[in-house]
Amino acid sequence: MGESFPMTGGDGPHSYTKNSSLQRAAAASAKSMLTSGILENLVVEHSSKMFAVADLGCSTGPNTFIAMDNMIEAVTQKCEIKGYCSLPEFQVYFNDHVSNDFNILFANLPPDRKYFAFGVPGSFHGGLFPKASLNIIYSAFALHWLSRAPQELGDVNSPACNKGRIYYSNAPHEVGQAYSLQFAKDMESFLAARAEELAPGGLMIILMPGRPDGTLPSQNSLGPFIKPLESCLTDMVDEEIIRNHEIDSFNMPLYSPSMEELRKLIEKNGCFGIARLETLPPMSVPLPSVEACRSGFESILRKHFRSEIIEQLFERYPAKIAGKPPIKASDGFTIGLFVILKRNI
Amino acid sequence: MGESFPMTGGDGPHSYTKNSSLQRAAAASAKSMLTSGILENLVVEHSSKMFAVADLGCSTGPNTFIAMDNMIEAVTQKCEIKGYCSLPEFQVYFNDHVSNDFNILFANLPPDRKYFAFGVPGSFHGGLFPKASLNIIYSAFALHWLSRAPQELGDVNSPACNKGRIYYSNAPHEVGQAYSLQFAKDMESFLAARAEELAPGGLMIILMPGRPDGTLPSQNSLGPFIKPLESCLTDMVDEEIIRNHEIDSFNMPLYSPSMEELRKLIEKNGCFGIARLETLPPMSVPLPSVEACRSGFESILRKHFRSEIIEQLFERYPAKIAGKPPIKASDGFTIGLFVILKRNI
């Protein structure tokens, strides 16, 4: 089932809870697309007594709570437009890896929520729910996490060997290709599982980082975001604090597909029709602060590198981002993709 | 909504996970009653595609996993007896207070489970699920926890003032009465919420400590179980380590109803018919070890007393139980109650 790299839990300074404003801003910019997408495409029956929404890869909040409120608001609006005199009872299923900090997620649940709240531990690359049990499946900034980094990246005999780097930006074409293949496998297992779980008339809504059509993987990626971290690690290799083989065998399991690539994978799977496949409004974003970097990557770094280098690594980090301007798509950064899928009958 | 006193989380020596063998033994002795109760009373339709079970007050496992397996085995047996060619997909909802350690619960989920697993944070004295969404509601050794200790126990002007004690065994009749009234209120809110949630044909199965009919609250209670702890606390009052008002205002929010009392509350609520109301086979149980005592009561003690007395308290505890024989109903300990309820239509 691949590996699990949770966002940092708790509510301390390095927690995802305190360091997810970028994801929040991107989701906020998608709100009107989400609302109109639901109003246009969702089929909701007069007789529906329950309405189940799942957030796959929800982390610890608060972003997921904002998204779920937006979703329920849009479904409510749809029911009102249809003239239904009563609303269904909403159920929200919050999913993430078993190692996600569900205790913090639950402690942060909005007390005035208009839904029954459930936690669902497990990888979304496998089945998580009974057949046809979900009316909306939502996933925001989670599908770019691969189930694992492609194994050939660490194989010195492979043309996809990613020596001295931790990512595919600035890497030979074969490295990006290996990432792309792993994404295709993960997306297929994701779509196959969701096709079982989505109820008739329901929607799957995906927000994720991607790249413009006609670009190579290395041209627009999360690379600019990861570069300061990579640079700290390579400095530590030069200073012989980290051994060569340690960095050679470490690769960030993140990938940003092009719209075309995503479209082909959805068509190949064959269970879903594409109702929308659009880009989010362009954003310029600051390089991640040391807190944000720890929130996203400390768990995966600790798993691979010796614990004793972690504090040193993050001590070096602030100098790498000091004074650097925000990044945007023209710097080789990702663009935001917005997808709405319907189940083919 | 009352207060929340979770069992001690984690998987350390004082955790509920490592100190719940008594509850496990009691539930094991109820297994055949549970199986026959399900076979006789559950209505399961050929057309049912999903089957939802909830465990209310599940704590962190492993007891809940054993109980859920037993339950699913019995429902499967029922489907086979009925000659159904396919089984429904099972969903298990694990409920406990928001402060329960759901991270440990999720980490301990059996990998070979035959159900989709969900966590449900919140008090079972309120609504937790949509209408008619559960086929079996199970609760084992959780309903004896009151939502709060009755407030008059701490009121020096009340005849129910429980000065110098932390429980109602050996207390004036009025103290037991105050506990009984609080239990009646809690049971009513519990039953009202469950009446909404139970699906037609479904069952509610309750295991809880109680007492024989015709006895007063103080005659059979969890008192013998709590006495060594109370004795440590009163020693510490005598030694002026704990102030009088600290112990006077602390009362364990636990109550064991008689079968008659429980029957009347269920009848007064009016939403359920009693399919079974029986006693579990008598057990003789050892006094709780210091680890077991911490697992159940450390959280509530820490909430009331100053942190600095907690370690001292538990250091004194082993001497209080050393050499003491196991306790049984004839020592004034509770008996186990087993209840199966059906929704009145």
Side-chain angles (χ1 to χ4, degrees), chain A residues 89 93 101-103 116 118-119 128-129 131, chain B residues 89 93 101-103 116 118-119 128 131:
Chain A
E89 292 190 281
Y93 290 89
D101 193 342
F102 281 95
N103 290 344
F116 297 103
F118 308 116
L128 294 165
F129 300 92
K131 287 195 181 69
Chain B
E89 292 190 281
Y93 290 89
D101 193 341
F102 282 94
N103 290 345
F116 297 103
F118 308 115
L128 294 164
K131 287 194 181 68

mmCIF file with all atom_site columns, all heavy atoms in Angstrom, chain A residues 89 93 101-103 116 118-119 128-129 131, chain B residues 89 93 101-103 116 118-119 128 131:
data_model
loop_
_atom_site.group_PDB
_atom_site.id
_atom_site.type_symbol
_atom_site.label_atom_id
_atom_site.label_alt_id
_atom_site.label_comp_id
_atom_site.label_asym_id
_atom_site.label_entity_id
_atom_site.label_seq_id
_atom_site.pdbx_PDB_ins_code
_atom_site.Cartn_x
_atom_site.Cartn_y
_atom_site.Cartn_z
_atom_site.occupancy
_atom_site.B_iso_or_equiv
_atom_site.pdbx_formal_charge
_atom_site.auth_seq_id
_atom_site.auth_comp_id
_atom_site.auth_asym_id
_atom_site.auth_atom_id
_atom_site.pdbx_PDB_model_num
ATOM 1   N N   . GLU A 1 89  ? -29.659 15.020 5.962  1.00 0.00 ? 89  GLU A N   1
ATOM 2   C CA  . GLU A 1 89  ? -28.708 15.111 7.068  1.00 0.00 ? 89  GLU A CA  1
ATOM 3   C C   . GLU A 1 89  ? -27.314 14.884 6.485  1.00 0.00 ? 89  GLU A C   1
ATOM 4   O O   . GLU A 1 89  ? -27.085 13.897 5.787  1.00 0.00 ? 89  GLU A O   1
ATOM 5   C CB  . GLU A 1 89  ? -29.023 14.047 8.125  1.00 0.00 ? 89  GLU A CB  1
ATOM 6   C CG  . GLU A 1 89  ? -30.331 14.295 8.859  1.00 0.00 ? 89  GLU A CG  1
ATOM 7   C CD  . GLU A 1 89  ? -30.479 13.368 10.064 1.00 0.00 ? 89  GLU A CD  1
ATOM 8   O OE1 . GLU A 1 89  ? -30.831 12.192 9.854  1.00 0.00 ? 89  GLU A OE1 1
ATOM 9   O OE2 . GLU A 1 89  ? -30.240 13.812 11.196 1.00 0.00 ? 89  GLU A OE2 1
ATOM 10  N N   . TYR A 1 93  ? -16.989 12.639 6.199  1.00 0.00 ? 93  TYR A N   1
ATOM 11  C CA  . TYR A 1 93  ? -15.967 11.646 6.507  1.00 0.00 ? 93  TYR A CA  1
ATOM 12  C C   . TYR A 1 93  ? -14.597 12.267 6.263  1.00 0.00 ? 93  TYR A C   1
ATOM 13  O O   . TYR A 1 93  ? -14.260 12.591 5.122  1.00 0.00 ? 93  TYR A O   1
ATOM 14  C CB  . TYR A 1 93  ? -16.150 10.417 5.625  1.00 0.00 ? 93  TYR A CB  1
ATOM 15  C CG  . TYR A 1 93  ? -17.381 9.612  5.971  1.00 0.00 ? 93  TYR A CG  1
ATOM 16  C CD1 . TYR A 1 93  ? -18.614 9.895  5.386  1.00 0.00 ? 93  TYR A CD1 1
ATOM 17  C CD2 . TYR A 1 93  ? -17.313 8.572  6.897  1.00 0.00 ? 93  TYR A CD2 1
ATOM 18  C CE1 . TYR A 1 93  ? -19.750 9.153  5.713  1.00 0.00 ? 93  TYR A CE1 1
ATOM 19  C CE2 . TYR A 1 93  ? -18.436 7.835  7.231  1.00 0.00 ? 93  TYR A CE2 1
ATOM 20  C CZ  . TYR A 1 93  ? -19.648 8.127  6.636  1.00 0.00 ? 93  TYR A CZ  1
ATOM 21  O OH  . TYR A 1 93  ? -20.763 7.404  6.967  1.00 0.00 ? 93  TYR A OH  1
ATOM 22  N N   . ASP A 1 101 ? -2.722  13.037 12.593 1.00 0.00 ? 101 ASP A N   1
ATOM 23  C CA  . ASP A 1 101 ? -3.110  13.334 13.974 1.00 0.00 ? 101 ASP A CA  1
ATOM 24  C C   . ASP A 1 101 ? -4.625  13.577 14.046 1.00 0.00 ? 101 ASP A C   1
ATOM 25  O O   . ASP A 1 101 ? -5.095  14.710 14.027 1.00 0.00 ? 101 ASP A O   1
ATOM 26  C CB  . ASP A 1 101 ? -2.307  14.531 14.509 1.00 0.00 ? 101 ASP A CB  1
ATOM 27  C CG  . ASP A 1 101 ? -2.447  14.682 16.011 1.00 0.00 ? 101 ASP A CG  1
ATOM 28  O OD1 . ASP A 1 101 ? -3.403  14.112 16.593 1.00 0.00 ? 101 ASP A OD1 1
ATOM 29  O OD2 . ASP A 1 101 ? -1.599  15.363 16.611 1.00 0.00 ? 101 ASP A OD2 1
ATOM 30  N N   . PHE A 1 102 ? -5.369  12.482 14.141 1.00 0.00 ? 102 PHE A N   1
ATOM 31  C CA  . PHE A 1 102 ? -6.822  12.589 14.215 1.00 0.00 ? 102 PHE A CA  1
ATOM 32  C C   . PHE A 1 102 ? -7.275  13.202 15.540 1.00 0.00 ? 102 PHE A C   1
ATOM 33  O O   . PHE A 1 102 ? -8.332  13.820 15.610 1.00 0.00 ? 102 PHE A O   1
ATOM 34  C CB  . PHE A 1 102 ? -7.475  11.208 14.033 1.00 0.00 ? 102 PHE A CB  1
ATOM 35  C CG  . PHE A 1 102 ? -7.545  10.754 12.598 1.00 0.00 ? 102 PHE A CG  1
ATOM 36  C CD1 . PHE A 1 102 ? -6.561  9.937  12.065 1.00 0.00 ? 102 PHE A CD1 1
ATOM 37  C CD2 . PHE A 1 102 ? -8.595  11.145 11.778 1.00 0.00 ? 102 PHE A CD2 1
ATOM 38  C CE1 . PHE A 1 102 ? -6.612  9.517  10.733 1.00 0.00 ? 102 PHE A CE1 1
ATOM 39  C CE2 . PHE A 1 102 ? -8.656  10.733 10.453 1.00 0.00 ? 102 PHE A CE2 1
ATOM 40  C CZ  . PHE A 1 102 ? -7.666  9.917  9.927  1.00 0.00 ? 102 PHE A CZ  1
ATOM 41  N N   . ASN A 1 103 ? -6.475  13.030 16.601 1.00 0.00 ? 103 ASN A N   1
ATOM 42  C CA  . ASN A 1 103 ? -6.865  13.630 17.885 1.00 0.00 ? 103 ASN A CA  1
ATOM 43  C C   . ASN A 1 103 ? -6.997  15.146 17.759 1.00 0.00 ? 103 ASN A C   1
ATOM 44  O O   . ASN A 1 103 ? -7.926  15.750 18.285 1.00 0.00 ? 103 ASN A O   1
ATOM 45  C CB  . ASN A 1 103 ? -5.840  13.282 18.979 1.00 0.00 ? 103 ASN A CB  1
ATOM 46  C CG  . ASN A 1 103 ? -5.895  11.810 19.360 1.00 0.00 ? 103 ASN A CG  1
ATOM 47  O OD1 . ASN A 1 103 ? -6.862  11.115 19.042 1.00 0.00 ? 103 ASN A OD1 1
ATOM 48  N ND2 . ASN A 1 103 ? -4.864  11.327 20.032 1.00 0.00 ? 103 ASN A ND2 1
ATOM 49  N N   . PHE A 1 116 ? -22.684 15.466 10.788 1.00 0.00 ? 116 PHE A N   1
ATOM 50  C CA  . PHE A 1 116 ? -22.116 14.437 11.647 1.00 0.00 ? 116 PHE A CA  1
ATOM 51  C C   . PHE A 1 116 ? -20.696 14.184 11.156 1.00 0.00 ? 116 PHE A C   1
ATOM 52  O O   . PHE A 1 116 ? -20.474 14.020 9.952  1.00 0.00 ? 116 PHE A O   1
ATOM 53  C CB  . PHE A 1 116 ? -22.952 13.164 11.572 1.00 0.00 ? 116 PHE A CB  1
ATOM 54  C CG  . PHE A 1 116 ? -24.358 13.350 12.079 1.00 0.00 ? 116 PHE A CG  1
ATOM 55  C CD1 . PHE A 1 116 ? -25.420 13.474 11.194 1.00 0.00 ? 116 PHE A CD1 1
ATOM 56  C CD2 . PHE A 1 116 ? -24.606 13.435 13.445 1.00 0.00 ? 116 PHE A CD2 1
ATOM 57  C CE1 . PHE A 1 116 ? -26.716 13.664 11.664 1.00 0.00 ? 116 PHE A CE1 1
ATOM 58  C CE2 . PHE A 1 116 ? -25.900 13.625 13.919 1.00 0.00 ? 116 PHE A CE2 1
ATOM 59  C CZ  . PHE A 1 116 ? -26.963 13.736 13.026 1.00 0.00 ? 116 PHE A CZ  1
ATOM 60  N N   . PHE A 1 118 ? -17.045 12.134 11.042 1.00 0.00 ? 118 PHE A N   1
ATOM 61  C CA  . PHE A 1 118 ? -16.409 10.833 11.223 1.00 0.00 ? 118 PHE A CA  1
ATOM 62  C C   . PHE A 1 118 ? -14.960 10.889 10.734 1.00 0.00 ? 118 PHE A C   1
ATOM 63  O O   . PHE A 1 118 ? -14.665 11.558 9.745  1.00 0.00 ? 118 PHE A O   1
ATOM 64  C CB  . PHE A 1 118 ? -17.162 9.756  10.420 1.00 0.00 ? 118 PHE A CB  1
ATOM 65  C CG  . PHE A 1 118 ? -18.647 9.739  10.690 1.00 0.00 ? 118 PHE A CG  1
ATOM 66  C CD1 . PHE A 1 118 ? -19.554 10.038 9.679  1.00 0.00 ? 118 PHE A CD1 1
ATOM 67  C CD2 . PHE A 1 118 ? -19.131 9.450  11.956 1.00 0.00 ? 118 PHE A CD2 1
ATOM 68  C CE1 . PHE A 1 118 ? -20.928 10.045 9.928  1.00 0.00 ? 118 PHE A CE1 1
ATOM 69  C CE2 . PHE A 1 118 ? -20.496 9.458  12.218 1.00 0.00 ? 118 PHE A CE2 1
ATOM 70  C CZ  . PHE A 1 118 ? -21.399 9.749  11.203 1.00 0.00 ? 118 PHE A CZ  1
ATOM 71  N N   . GLY A 1 119 ? -14.082 10.164 11.390 1.00 0.00 ? 119 GLY A N   1
ATOM 72  C CA  . GLY A 1 119 ? -12.698 10.043 10.936 1.00 0.00 ? 119 GLY A CA  1
ATOM 73  C C   . GLY A 1 119 ? -12.501 8.711  10.237 1.00 0.00 ? 119 GLY A C   1
ATOM 74  O O   . GLY A 1 119 ? -13.048 7.697  10.663 1.00 0.00 ? 119 GLY A O   1
ATOM 75  N N   . LEU A 1 128 ? -11.991 2.606  0.953  1.00 0.00 ? 128 LEU A N   1
ATOM 76  C CA  . LEU A 1 128 ? -12.198 3.122  2.306  1.00 0.00 ? 128 LEU A CA  1
ATOM 77  C C   . LEU A 1 128 ? -13.657 3.110  2.732  1.00 0.00 ? 128 LEU A C   1
ATOM 78  O O   . LEU A 1 128 ? -13.974 3.256  3.909  1.00 0.00 ? 128 LEU A O   1
ATOM 79  C CB  . LEU A 1 128 ? -11.695 4.572  2.385  1.00 0.00 ? 128 LEU A CB  1
ATOM 80  C CG  . LEU A 1 128 ? -10.204 4.806  2.209  1.00 0.00 ? 128 LEU A CG  1
ATOM 81  C CD1 . LEU A 1 128 ? -9.919  6.280  1.942  1.00 0.00 ? 128 LEU A CD1 1
ATOM 82  C CD2 . LEU A 1 128 ? -9.451  4.341  3.446  1.00 0.00 ? 128 LEU A CD2 1
ATOM 83  N N   . PHE A 1 129 ? -14.573 2.956  1.740  1.00 0.00 ? 129 PHE A N   1
ATOM 84  C CA  . PHE A 1 129 ? -16.002 3.111  2.011  1.00 0.00 ? 129 PHE A CA  1
ATOM 85  C C   . PHE A 1 129 ? -16.788 2.018  1.276  1.00 0.00 ? 129 PHE A C   1
ATOM 86  O O   . PHE A 1 129 ? -16.328 1.491  0.262  1.00 0.00 ? 129 PHE A O   1
ATOM 87  C CB  . PHE A 1 129 ? -16.492 4.473  1.499  1.00 0.00 ? 129 PHE A CB  1
ATOM 88  C CG  . PHE A 1 129 ? -15.796 5.644  2.119  1.00 0.00 ? 129 PHE A CG  1
ATOM 89  C CD1 . PHE A 1 129 ? -14.670 6.201  1.522  1.00 0.00 ? 129 PHE A CD1 1
ATOM 90  C CD2 . PHE A 1 129 ? -16.260 6.193  3.293  1.00 0.00 ? 129 PHE A CD2 1
ATOM 91  C CE1 . PHE A 1 129 ? -14.022 7.292  2.088  1.00 0.00 ? 129 PHE A CE1 1
ATOM 92  C CE2 . PHE A 1 129 ? -15.616 7.277  3.879  1.00 0.00 ? 129 PHE A CE2 1
ATOM 93  C CZ  . PHE A 1 129 ? -14.492 7.832  3.271  1.00 0.00 ? 129 PHE A CZ  1
ATOM 94  N N   . LYS A 1 131 ? -19.711 0.413  -1.163 1.00 0.00 ? 131 LYS A N   1
ATOM 95  C CA  . LYS A 1 131 ? -20.105 0.752  -2.534 1.00 0.00 ? 131 LYS A CA  1
ATOM 96  C C   . LYS A 1 131 ? -21.169 1.851  -2.567 1.00 0.00 ? 131 LYS A C   1
ATOM 97  O O   . LYS A 1 131 ? -22.116 1.822  -1.793 1.00 0.00 ? 131 LYS A O   1
ATOM 98  C CB  . LYS A 1 131 ? -20.695 -0.478 -3.225 1.00 0.00 ? 131 LYS A CB  1
ATOM 99  C CG  . LYS A 1 131 ? -19.654 -1.513 -3.593 1.00 0.00 ? 131 LYS A CG  1
ATOM 100 C CD  . LYS A 1 131 ? -20.218 -2.535 -4.591 1.00 0.00 ? 131 LYS A CD  1
ATOM 101 C CE  . LYS A 1 131 ? -19.163 -3.576 -4.913 1.00 0.00 ? 131 LYS A CE  1
ATOM 102 N NZ  . LYS A 1 131 ? -18.873 -4.471 -3.750 1.00 0.00 ? 131 LYS A NZ  1
ATOM 103 N N   . GLU B 1 89  ? -22.021 -5.091 3.124  1.00 0.00 ? 89  GLU B N   1
ATOM 104 C CA  . GLU B 1 89  ? -20.712 -4.526 3.486  1.00 0.00 ? 89  GLU B CA  1
ATOM 105 C C   . GLU B 1 89  ? -20.839 -3.935 4.892  1.00 0.00 ? 89  GLU B C   1
ATOM 106 O O   . GLU B 1 89  ? -21.745 -3.134 5.152  1.00 0.00 ? 89  GLU B O   1
ATOM 107 C CB  . GLU B 1 89  ? -20.310 -3.442 2.493  1.00 0.00 ? 89  GLU B CB  1
ATOM 108 C CG  . GLU B 1 89  ? -20.017 -3.992 1.099  1.00 0.00 ? 89  GLU B CG  1
ATOM 109 C CD  . GLU B 1 89  ? -19.385 -2.929 0.203  1.00 0.00 ? 89  GLU B CD  1
ATOM 110 O OE1 . GLU B 1 89  ? -20.128 -2.069 -0.316 1.00 0.00 ? 89  GLU B OE1 1
ATOM 111 O OE2 . GLU B 1 89  ? -18.159 -2.957 0.013  1.00 0.00 ? 89  GLU B OE2 1
ATOM 112 N N   . TYR B 1 93  ? -18.520 1.967  13.341 1.00 0.00 ? 93  TYR B N   1
ATOM 113 C CA  . TYR B 1 93  ? -18.297 3.316  13.842 1.00 0.00 ? 93  TYR B CA  1
ATOM 114 C C   . TYR B 1 93  ? -17.821 3.232  15.290 1.00 0.00 ? 93  TYR B C   1
ATOM 115 O O   . TYR B 1 93  ? -18.560 2.776  16.158 1.00 0.00 ? 93  TYR B O   1
ATOM 116 C CB  . TYR B 1 93  ? -19.595 4.118  13.770 1.00 0.00 ? 93  TYR B CB  1
ATOM 117 C CG  . TYR B 1 93  ? -20.011 4.448  12.355 1.00 0.00 ? 93  TYR B CG  1
ATOM 118 C CD1 . TYR B 1 93  ? -20.812 3.580  11.619 1.00 0.00 ? 93  TYR B CD1 1
ATOM 119 C CD2 . TYR B 1 93  ? -19.591 5.631  11.756 1.00 0.00 ? 93  TYR B CD2 1
ATOM 120 C CE1 . TYR B 1 93  ? -21.192 3.885  10.316 1.00 0.00 ? 93  TYR B CE1 1
ATOM 121 C CE2 . TYR B 1 93  ? -19.960 5.941  10.453 1.00 0.00 ? 93  TYR B CE2 1
ATOM 122 C CZ  . TYR B 1 93  ? -20.757 5.069  9.743  1.00 0.00 ? 93  TYR B CZ  1
ATOM 123 O OH  . TYR B 1 93  ? -21.117 5.373  8.455  1.00 0.00 ? 93  TYR B OH  1
ATOM 124 N N   . ASP B 1 101 ? -8.129  8.684  22.915 1.00 0.00 ? 101 ASP B N   1
ATOM 125 C CA  . ASP B 1 101 ? -6.953  8.608  22.043 1.00 0.00 ? 101 ASP B CA  1
ATOM 126 C C   . ASP B 1 101 ? -7.296  7.828  20.766 1.00 0.00 ? 101 ASP B C   1
ATOM 127 O O   . ASP B 1 101 ? -7.033  6.632  20.653 1.00 0.00 ? 101 ASP B O   1
ATOM 128 C CB  . ASP B 1 101 ? -5.777  7.981  22.785 1.00 0.00 ? 101 ASP B CB  1
ATOM 129 C CG  . ASP B 1 101 ? -4.460  8.172  22.030 1.00 0.00 ? 101 ASP B CG  1
ATOM 130 O OD1 . ASP B 1 101 ? -4.498  8.454  20.809 1.00 0.00 ? 101 ASP B OD1 1
ATOM 131 O OD2 . ASP B 1 101 ? -3.395  8.051  22.655 1.00 0.00 ? 101 ASP B OD2 1
ATOM 132 N N   . PHE B 1 102 ? -7.893  8.536  19.807 1.00 0.00 ? 102 PHE B N   1
ATOM 133 C CA  . PHE B 1 102 ? -8.274  7.904  18.540 1.00 0.00 ? 102 PHE B CA  1
ATOM 134 C C   . PHE B 1 102 ? -7.048  7.515  17.719 1.00 0.00 ? 102 PHE B C   1
ATOM 135 O O   . PHE B 1 102 ? -7.106  6.581  16.923 1.00 0.00 ? 102 PHE B O   1
ATOM 136 C CB  . PHE B 1 102 ? -9.177  8.835  17.720 1.00 0.00 ? 102 PHE B CB  1
ATOM 137 C CG  . PHE B 1 102 ? -10.601 8.862  18.186 1.00 0.00 ? 102 PHE B CG  1
ATOM 138 C CD1 . PHE B 1 102 ? -11.040 9.827  19.071 1.00 0.00 ? 102 PHE B CD1 1
ATOM 139 C CD2 . PHE B 1 102 ? -11.523 7.915  17.742 1.00 0.00 ? 102 PHE B CD2 1
ATOM 140 C CE1 . PHE B 1 102 ? -12.362 9.854  19.524 1.00 0.00 ? 102 PHE B CE1 1
ATOM 141 C CE2 . PHE B 1 102 ? -12.843 7.927  18.175 1.00 0.00 ? 102 PHE B CE2 1
ATOM 142 C CZ  . PHE B 1 102 ? -13.265 8.902  19.063 1.00 0.00 ? 102 PHE B CZ  1
ATOM 143 N N   . ASN B 1 103 ? -5.935  8.230  17.892 1.00 0.00 ? 103 ASN B N   1
ATOM 144 C CA  . ASN B 1 103 ? -4.728  7.870  17.138 1.00 0.00 ? 103 ASN B CA  1
ATOM 145 C C   . ASN B 1 103 ? -4.296  6.443  17.456 1.00 0.00 ? 103 ASN B C   1
ATOM 146 O O   . ASN B 1 103 ? -3.932  5.675  16.562 1.00 0.00 ? 103 ASN B O   1
ATOM 147 C CB  . ASN B 1 103 ? -3.585  8.847  17.442 1.00 0.00 ? 103 ASN B CB  1
ATOM 148 C CG  . ASN B 1 103 ? -3.834  10.229 16.852 1.00 0.00 ? 103 ASN B CG  1
ATOM 149 O OD1 . ASN B 1 103 ? -4.702  10.393 15.990 1.00 0.00 ? 103 ASN B OD1 1
ATOM 150 N ND2 . ASN B 1 103 ? -3.095  11.216 17.308 1.00 0.00 ? 103 ASN B ND2 1
ATOM 151 N N   . PHE B 1 116 ? -15.378 -1.602 7.115  1.00 0.00 ? 116 PHE B N   1
ATOM 152 C CA  . PHE B 1 116 ? -14.841 -0.262 6.966  1.00 0.00 ? 116 PHE B CA  1
ATOM 153 C C   . PHE B 1 116 ? -14.892 0.393  8.346  1.00 0.00 ? 116 PHE B C   1
ATOM 154 O O   . PHE B 1 116 ? -15.917 0.315  9.021  1.00 0.00 ? 116 PHE B O   1
ATOM 155 C CB  . PHE B 1 116 ? -15.666 0.536  5.964  1.00 0.00 ? 116 PHE B CB  1
ATOM 156 C CG  . PHE B 1 116 ? -15.622 -0.047 4.579  1.00 0.00 ? 116 PHE B CG  1
ATOM 157 C CD1 . PHE B 1 116 ? -16.690 -0.782 4.083  1.00 0.00 ? 116 PHE B CD1 1
ATOM 158 C CD2 . PHE B 1 116 ? -14.509 0.121  3.776  1.00 0.00 ? 116 PHE B CD2 1
ATOM 159 C CE1 . PHE B 1 116 ? -16.647 -1.333 2.811  1.00 0.00 ? 116 PHE B CE1 1
ATOM 160 C CE2 . PHE B 1 116 ? -14.457 -0.430 2.503  1.00 0.00 ? 116 PHE B CE2 1
ATOM 161 C CZ  . PHE B 1 116 ? -15.524 -1.155 2.018  1.00 0.00 ? 116 PHE B CZ  1
ATOM 162 N N   . PHE B 1 118 ? -14.571 3.591  11.032 1.00 0.00 ? 118 PHE B N   1
ATOM 163 C CA  . PHE B 1 118 ? -14.701 5.037  11.177 1.00 0.00 ? 118 PHE B CA  1
ATOM 164 C C   . PHE B 1 118 ? -14.628 5.422  12.654 1.00 0.00 ? 118 PHE B C   1
ATOM 165 O O   . PHE B 1 118 ? -15.120 4.691  13.504 1.00 0.00 ? 118 PHE B O   1
ATOM 166 C CB  . PHE B 1 118 ? -16.053 5.504  10.615 1.00 0.00 ? 118 PHE B CB  1
ATOM 167 C CG  . PHE B 1 118 ? -16.321 5.025  9.215  1.00 0.00 ? 118 PHE B CG  1
ATOM 168 C CD1 . PHE B 1 118 ? -17.369 4.151  8.955  1.00 0.00 ? 118 PHE B CD1 1
ATOM 169 C CD2 . PHE B 1 118 ? -15.515 5.419  8.170  1.00 0.00 ? 118 PHE B CD2 1
ATOM 170 C CE1 . PHE B 1 118 ? -17.609 3.685  7.665  1.00 0.00 ? 118 PHE B CE1 1
ATOM 171 C CE2 . PHE B 1 118 ? -15.738 4.955  6.877  1.00 0.00 ? 118 PHE B CE2 1
ATOM 172 C CZ  . PHE B 1 118 ? -16.789 4.091  6.625  1.00 0.00 ? 118 PHE B CZ  1
ATOM 173 N N   . GLY B 1 119 ? -14.043 6.563  12.940 1.00 0.00 ? 119 GLY B N   1
ATOM 174 C CA  . GLY B 1 119 ? -14.024 7.094  14.301 1.00 0.00 ? 119 GLY B CA  1
ATOM 175 C C   . GLY B 1 119 ? -15.076 8.179  14.447 1.00 0.00 ? 119 GLY B C   1
ATOM 176 O O   . GLY B 1 119 ? -15.271 8.976  13.524 1.00 0.00 ? 119 GLY B O   1
ATOM 177 N N   . LEU B 1 128 ? -25.242 11.519 17.481 1.00 0.00 ? 128 LEU B N   1
ATOM 178 C CA  . LEU B 1 128 ? -23.945 11.306 16.825 1.00 0.00 ? 128 LEU B CA  1
ATOM 179 C C   . LEU B 1 128 ? -24.077 10.857 15.381 1.00 0.00 ? 128 LEU B C   1
ATOM 180 O O   . LEU B 1 128 ? -23.109 10.897 14.619 1.00 0.00 ? 128 LEU B O   1
ATOM 181 C CB  . LEU B 1 128 ? -23.161 10.226 17.588 1.00 0.00 ? 128 LEU B CB  1
ATOM 182 C CG  . LEU B 1 128 ? -22.723 10.555 19.009 1.00 0.00 ? 128 LEU B CG  1
ATOM 183 C CD1 . LEU B 1 128 ? -22.313 9.289  19.752 1.00 0.00 ? 128 LEU B CD1 1
ATOM 184 C CD2 . LEU B 1 128 ? -21.579 11.557 18.998 1.00 0.00 ? 128 LEU B CD2 1
ATOM 185 N N   . LYS B 1 131 ? -30.481 9.969  11.208 1.00 0.00 ? 131 LYS B N   1
ATOM 186 C CA  . LYS B 1 131 ? -31.661 9.172  11.564 1.00 0.00 ? 131 LYS B CA  1
ATOM 187 C C   . LYS B 1 131 ? -31.609 7.779  10.931 1.00 0.00 ? 131 LYS B C   1
ATOM 188 O O   . LYS B 1 131 ? -31.267 7.628  9.762  1.00 0.00 ? 131 LYS B O   1
ATOM 189 C CB  . LYS B 1 131 ? -32.926 9.871  11.070 1.00 0.00 ? 131 LYS B CB  1
ATOM 190 C CG  . LYS B 1 131 ? -33.298 11.092 11.864 1.00 0.00 ? 131 LYS B CG  1
ATOM 191 C CD  . LYS B 1 131 ? -34.733 11.540 11.559 1.00 0.00 ? 131 LYS B CD  1
ATOM 192 C CE  . LYS B 1 131 ? -35.062 12.796 12.354 1.00 0.00 ? 131 LYS B CE  1
ATOM 193 N NZ  . LYS B 1 131 ? -34.275 13.986 11.905 1.00 0.00 ? 131 LYS B NZ  1
#
